[in-house]
Amino acid sequence: MIKAILIFNNHGKPRLSKFYEHYTEDTEQQIIRETFHLVSKRDENVCNFLEGGILIGGSDNKLIYRHYATLYFVFCVDSSESELGILDLIQVFVETLDKCFENVCELDLIFHVDKVHYILGEMVMGGMVLETNMNEIITQVDAQNKLEKSETFIFQSPRQDR
Amino acid sequence: MSPSVRLQEMIRVIRSARTQGEERGVIQRECAAIRAQFRQGDNGGRSHNLAKLLYVHMLGYPAHFGQMECVRLIASPRYNEKRIGYLGAMMLLDEKQDASLLITNSIKNDLSHSSQYVQSLALCTLACMGSAEMCRDLAPEIERLLRASNSYIKKKAALCAVHIVRKVPELGELFTPSARSLLSEKNHGVLHGAVVLITELCERNPDTLDQCRKAVPELVQIMKGLVMSGYSPEHNVAGISDPFLQVRILRLLRILGRNNDSASDAMNDLLAQVATNTDSSKTAGSAVLYETVLTIMDIKSESGLRVLAVNILGRFLLNNDRNIRYVSMTSLQKIVQTDHNAVQRHRGTIVDCLKDQDASVQRRALELSLALVSAVNIRSLMKELLLFLSSCPPDLRAHTTSGIFLAADRYAPSQRWHIDTILHVLTTAGGDVRDETVPNLIQLITTASELHSYTVHKLYRALVADISQQSLVQVACWCIGEYGDLLLKGECEETEPVQVTEDNVLDALETVLQSHMSSPATRAFALTATMKLSTRITNNVDRIRSIVSIYGSCIDVELQQRAVEYNALFKKYDHMRAAVLERMPVIDRNSPGHSNGDISAGVKDSELVQVKKAELDRPQETASQACDLLGLLGDADQPSQPNPVQPSAMPSSAPPSMGGGDLLDLLGGLDPIPAPTAPVYEKNGLTLTLQCDKKMDTAVTVTFTAFNSSNTDISSFTLQVAVPKSVQLQMKAPSGNAIPAQGAGHVTQTVLLNNPNKVNLKMRVRVQYSKEGSMCQDVLQIDSLPAPAWQ
């Protein structure tokens, strides 16, 4: 089971945080900080697996991460997931983001956090891998976006106050 | 106008804040505005406000006031409001909040909505944060959706069912029939979900496991299709056809084939095919191969297949990619207990990985090396481990030192080697060793009586060189105190003797006493050692007296008490001084008073004990040790009473405590009843006996001992053990595999059994050995183990 999915930049600012187990808000922030601390110390050419920190860790849990330009994608998983499989999953996730946002960069993730959540929701559900086929995911996400857009046209949104 | 432009504006403003304080201010203003708008019930901007709130929540600011808004948005008929409402529910709500119960009804309605996307939102949220009550309420709905015609919904429903089964295991039976039928789907997403669901059901419920075994041929077909199919663009990852699904199916096959011959037979061909046909140059292929190897090792596969599997792992170990190496070591760790010899073959590569720069790889290599230690390779392996200790990262040090000590304890070829190893560890990493090391080492030194002068010479040298490692200093002080006369004699065969005078020795001890680096415990050791030397040296007794009297006014109360009592020993009880400070007898390991030292002398000195509490030297600083000693004498018939001084003094590999027996001997009473050893196998001169020790109610240690009374040697002796399903088995490494003739030696092997269900313990043992050039093999059934020593 995947316990948490975190995306943060090289300075530790969170760009996406999704937890599949309940933690209090303080603990969540601490986990993000601790994970950043552990992951940023790693060299470039070492392996992508880390034993977890104390908060989200425990002997069973591992951190599997990939570093792309300015962003770290970290999945915290327990021993029931295949480590190499999750590594591939991160790759599929990033490629999907690339397709959806057209040459995705960090700013896209910053300003469209909700969209990233929806894409992630098509891939991982309740801590388990749902769909790994990139085309299928993109089809579904596009259909949902169309549905949303069609609603804003049919129901004219009333004047929004400042 | 795109829906989240307000969100983007806010994000822009937050990002332009220059300081943390400014950012906090901006966010507080925004949150206040959002709260006001929630209260007004404004219809148009609700979803934007919630989106803003979720962003703020991600940054770490409190957002609980949005929970009711989530509930309201979920109930709205518009899709984009539902969407953000469900997202908010997943992020802000959990089972402990009351608001989560309110969305149960909305979820129920949405599960039967006409739009599949709304259904999927509901399923997603339920799988993420559904509580047990919600799951119970909605389980029938999910079961209905499992049989829907829409594959998009089916796959989501399957994973939602997994979550439900995790929360409420009793509902598993509800999903079993639909899960099985899902295996005939073509859509990979649905197949994937179905396999995960069946895996979860089988893990929880053994009856389901039996039922699902019938699905093995179906699964084998699906796998074959995946492996043999040509390039399929939709599921292709680096040349492998849907590796995620392959990995899942292999894992399920592992669970189904465990301990079951017929299922394992059905899988053998497939596993061989996957193992040979998969291209492992990319990560995806390696993932599949690695899963295949684990499956092969776990089921009852043929030996040829097992050899293939271990060879694949060996190949992985030599791979340049660190990820692959890491993963192969993880899997070797899983099989090292059962296939110890196979993993031993790769010891060289594993030891090389200790020198890798990557901390994760080093950690794996360390664990594996510690598991591979055996009597045969202890010397070479220990050299490598000590080398590793001097350069290892600080967070691994404590683990390494304790691993080294355990291994040295079990397999030390000679006492001198053992002492050398421990001293080496103390000099390199003395700060990271556990507290029990000091008394253990002291006990070891007392037993090695011929090495006393060697030890004290080495320790003196180490002490003079460096007094910062507390454990080393403590042991050194104790030894100098005990064996100072040997040090002063200046002769030693085994190492270069040091020519010291009494002044030098006292100087060294005084440095320790006065140094700011010494902890209070260390100073206590040094003081007691100085005192002991008063009977071992001739000239400088006055110097000792003055040192001791200085500390009579020391601030540290423990030191002060000792010093005052030693002073009293000089003044009033001088006639007893020699007797009190004489050489300590050998401390018996595992005796309840292990850390309290002097037991056998306890009876004799009992009247002295009242007066001279502190003089009986102890490695630990605990008060009321006299009470402990007397308490032990009183409670001597309960050897398992937890030692109030040191609950964890026993190293884990120690045999169960028979120390109570020693005490009873002293009192001239009962003899300890030895554990019965029953011969279970006698053939060809080979006798196998069994001894049981009951550790706790559910854990039993069984020791097999093999003797050879014939005229020819027996070699390549191996033992394999099988136990009933609910019993867990852990085999330790055997002490060797060759048994010389005429009873000149024997081989022991320890097996740890954990019997949580307290079933009747039966074992089947397979004995294999080579005698006079031919291999013999025998299987014996043991239906009941002999009763352990005490009930």
Side-chain angles (χ1 to χ4, degrees), chain B residues 607-621:
Chain B
E607 74 276 19
L608 278 180
V609 162
Q610 248 75 347
V611 179
K612 310 271 179 285
K613 266 206 284 197
E615 281 97 36
L616 284 176
D617 185 31
R618 302 159 310 159
Q620 301 297 329
E621 286 199 77

Side-chain angles (χ1 to χ4, degrees), chain B residues 98 107 115 147 189 234 294 322 338 357 363 368 378 389 396 401 416 532 547 614 630 644 646 699 713 790:
Chain B
D98 297 327
I107 295 185
S115 161
R147 289 178 274 119
E234 341 173 294
L294 285 179
R322 283 207 174 88
T338 42
Q357 283 160 348
R363 185 188 288 256
L368 211 43
I378 178 77
L389 184 63
L396 282 181
T401 50
R416 177 171 157 182
K532 280 200 237 181
I547 295 177
L630 297 178
Q646 262 205 339
D713 293 340
W790 59 280

Side-chain angles (χ1 to χ4, degrees), chain B residues 27 44 50 122 207 211 347 430 453 467 538 583-584 609 627 666 707 719 760:
Chain B
I27 289 184
L50 190 58
D207 297 321
Q211 280 180 337
R347 202 181 72 232
S453 79
I467 58 169
T538 43
R583 277 277 169 83
M584 291 193 56
V609 162
C627 314
L666 284 176
F707 295 92
L719 258 181
N760 191 20

Side-chain angles (χ1 to χ4, degrees), chain A residues 1 13-20 22 25 28-29 32 42 45-51 62 79-85 87-89 92 107 110-115 117-118 121-122 125-126 128-133 135-136 140-141 143-145 147-148 151-152 155 158 160-162, chain B residues 1 3-4 6 8 11-12 15 23 37 42 44 48 55 57-63 77-80 83-84 87 90-91 94 96 115 117 120 123-124 127-128 152 155-156 159-160 162 166 189 192 234-235 242 244 247-248 251 283-284 286-287 290-291 322-323 326-327 358 360 363-364:
Chain A
M1 182 176 147
K13 282 206 89 64
R15 296 298 173 216
L16 181 113
S17 67
K18 184 95 169 110
F19 289 88
Y20 293 100
H22 180 69
E25 285 170 4
E28 287 185 359
Q29 288 301 311
I32 296 177
R42 303 279 285 174
N45 49 357
V46 297
C47 73
N48 299 83
F49 310 118
L50 257 185
E51 315 294 308
K62 287 200 182 62
S79 58
S80 71
E81 296 285 340
S82 156
E83 292 104 347
L84 295 174
L87 213 47
D88 269 333
L89 186 68
V92 172
L107 283 179
I110 296 173
F111 284 100
H112 298 281
V113 161
D114 46 346
K115 290 216 182 23
H117 268 289
Y118 298 143
E122 289 298 323
M125 187 171 109
M128 293 165 283
V129 177
L130 174 62
E131 178 64 59
T132 54
N133 181 347
N135 294 329
E136 177 71 25
Q140 298 300 339
V141 170
Q144 290 176 1
N145 285 342
L147 187 54
E148 226 184 272
E151 270 190 354
T152 47
F155 301 99
Q160 282 137 29
D161 50 333
R162 296 278 154 257
Chain B
M1 186 167 58
S4 40
R6 307 291 307 287
Q8 290 172 349
I11 296 178
R12 219 168 269 137
R15 276 167 61 79
E23 181 181 297
Q37 289 188 345
D42 176 33
H48 307 153
Y55 183 80
H57 170 78
M58 179 180 77
L59 289 179
Y61 297 90
R78 297 179 54 181
Y79 178 69
N80 56 350
R83 206 182 195 190
I84 193 82
L87 183 61
M90 280 193 273
M91 291 185 71
D94 70 282
K96 297 195 193 65
S115 161
Y117 299 111
S120 83
L123 282 169
C124 201
C128 219
Y152 179 65
K155 75 180 179 203
K156 294 212 173 188
L159 285 189
C160 197
V162 176
R166 280 192 188 146
H192 190 274
E234 341 173 294
H235 303 293
D242 207 345
F244 298 99
V247 162
R248 284 279 171 211
R251 203 173 277 238
T283 316
S286 307
Y290 156 60
E291 209 62 41
R322 283 207 174 88
N323 288 337
Y326 179 93
V327 148
D358 180 349
S360 306
R363 185 188 288 256
R364 288 277 139 237

Side-chain angles (χ1 to χ4, degrees), chain B residues 434-663:
Chain B
R434 293 202 331 229
D435 294 329
E436 300 91 70
T437 320
V438 171
N440 284 347
L441 179 54
I442 290 181
Q443 186 267 331
L444 184 64
I445 293 177
T446 50
T447 47
S449 42
E450 62 282 358
L451 292 172
H452 284 167
S453 79
Y454 167 73
T455 319
V456 74
H457 275 102
K458 269 199 101 155
L459 282 172
Y460 177 75
R461 263 200 213 100
L463 183 68
V464 166
D466 171 25
I467 58 169
S468 60
Q469 309 270 32
Q470 295 305 304
S471 342
L472 185 62
V473 173
Q474 284 172 5
V475 176
C477 289
W478 190 91
C479 278
I480 293 177
E482 274 292 300
Y483 308 122
D485 46 338
L486 293 175
L487 181 63
L488 291 167
K489 253 201 291 202
E491 332 170 315
C492 176
E493 309 107 24
E494 313 204 356
T495 179
E496 178 81 27
V498 172
Q499 304 301 332
V500 284
T501 65
E502 296 173 359
D503 272 320
N504 291 357
V505 177
L506 287 175
D507 281 338
L509 286 176
E510 240 186 313
T511 328
V512 174
L513 267 176
Q514 292 165 355
S515 159
H516 59 279
M517 288 193 277
S518 307
S519 71
T522 317
R523 290 160 107 203
F525 269 88
L527 189 62
T528 313
T530 318
M531 187 60 195
K532 280 200 237 181
L533 280 180
S534 71
T535 47
R536 313 238 201 295
I537 61 176
T538 43
N539 296 338
N540 293 28
V541 183
D542 288 329
R543 184 172 170 188
I544 295 183
R545 205 185 287 216
S546 62
I547 295 177
V548 167
S549 58
I550 293 175
Y551 280 88
S553 46
C554 170
I555 291 185
D556 183 351
V557 176
E558 175 72 31
L559 274 183
Q560 190 188 88
Q561 179 181 3
R562 284 178 187 232
V564 164
E565 288 172 357
Y566 292 159
N567 255 333
L569 199 52
F570 268 122
K571 298 204 177 80
K572 285 204 288 179
Y573 298 98
D574 208 31
H575 53 284
M576 284 209 255
R577 187 160 53 94
V580 169
L581 297 176
E582 71 179 8
R583 277 277 169 83
M584 291 193 56
V586 174
I587 302 172
D588 198 15
R589 190 173 231 186
N590 300 324
S591 50
H594 177 192
S595 59
N596 281 347
D598 224 345
I599 300 185
S600 48
V603 177
K604 174 179 87 167
D605 292 291
S606 58
E607 74 276 19
L608 278 180
V609 162
Q610 248 75 347
V611 179
K612 310 271 179 285
K613 266 206 284 197
E615 281 97 36
L616 284 176
D617 185 31
R618 302 159 310 159
Q620 301 297 329
E621 286 199 77
T622 50
S624 68
Q625 60 123 24
C627 314
D628 286 340
L629 268 182
L630 297 178
L632 283 167
L633 294 174
D635 294 340
D637 47 3
Q638 292 170 34
S640 62
Q641 177 165 36
N643 186 345
V645 176
Q646 262 205 339
S648 57
M650 323 296 173
S652 57
S653 58
S657 167
M658 294 303 273
D662 293 342
L663 221 37

Side-chain angles (χ1 to χ4, degrees), chain A:
Chain A
M1 182 176 147
I2 301 177
K3 298 275 164 83
I5 298 181
L6 305 169
I7 306 180
F8 42 76
N9 71 356
N10 287 348
H11 303 293
K13 282 206 89 64
R15 296 298 173 216
L16 181 113
S17 67
K18 184 95 169 110
F19 289 88
Y20 293 100
E21 263 188 354
H22 180 69
Y23 300 98
T24 63
E25 285 170 4
D26 281 333
T27 322
E28 287 185 359
Q29 288 301 311
Q30 269 178 306
I31 290 173
I32 296 177
R33 270 197 297 272
E34 194 187 31
T35 314
F36 168 65
H37 194 66
L38 285 171
V39 162
S40 57
K41 277 195 296 197
R42 303 279 285 174
D43 236 350
E44 273 314 304
N45 49 357
V46 297
C47 73
N48 299 83
F49 310 118
L50 257 185
E51 315 294 308
I54 320 171
L55 289 173
I56 197 169
S59 54
D60 211 19
N61 294 356
K62 287 200 182 62
L63 294 173
I64 302 179
Y65 72 95
R66 276 201 118 125
H67 189 185
Y68 294 92
T70 58
L71 287 174
Y72 284 99
F73 285 70
V74 184
F75 278 46
C76 178
V77 305
D78 68 8
S79 58
S80 71
E81 296 285 340
S82 156
E83 292 104 347
L84 295 174
I86 295 289
L87 213 47
D88 269 333
L89 186 68
I90 300 181
Q91 182 70 19
V92 172
F93 182 37
V94 172
E95 280 177 16
T96 313
L97 286 177
D98 198 31
K99 266 274 182 66
C100 286
F101 283 104
E102 251 125 83
N103 265 334
V104 68
C105 65
E106 191 180 341
L107 283 179
D108 288 320
L109 296 190
I110 296 173
F111 284 100
H112 298 281
V113 161
D114 46 346
K115 290 216 182 23
V116 181
H117 268 289
Y118 298 143
I119 296 174
L120 187 59
E122 289 298 323
M123 292 182 70
V124 178
M125 187 171 109
M128 293 165 283
V129 177
L130 174 62
E131 178 64 59
T132 54
N133 181 347
M134 195 165 76
N135 294 329
E136 177 71 25
I137 299 170
I138 294 178
T139 319
Q140 298 300 339
V141 170
D142 282 341
Q144 290 176 1
N145 285 342
K146 239 191 275 179
L147 187 54
E148 226 184 272
K149 277 206 183 67
S150 68
E151 270 190 354
T152 47
F153 282 135
I154 296 174
F155 301 99
Q156 283 294 337
S157 44
R159 183 191 67 88
Q160 282 137 29
D161 50 333
R162 296 278 154 257

Side-chain angles (χ1 to χ4, degrees), chain B residues 334-359:
Chain B
K334 290 189 189 133
I335 63 177
V336 75
Q337 297 292 349
T338 42
D339 285 79
H340 193 90
N341 296 332
V343 182
Q344 280 280 5
R345 249 177 271 139
H346 301 288
R347 202 181 72 232
T349 330
I350 294 172
V351 164
D352 276 333
C353 286
L354 278 175
K355 305 190 187 97
D356 199 304
Q357 283 160 348
D358 180 349

Side-chain angles (χ1 to χ4, degrees), chain B residues 302-321:
Chain B
E302 324 166 319
S303 58
L305 208 50
R306 291 186 102 91
V307 167
L308 179 62
V310 178
N311 286 348
I312 293 179
L313 281 182
R315 239 179 32 230
F316 274 5
L317 264 184
L318 298 167
N319 196 317
N320 278 334
D321 185 353

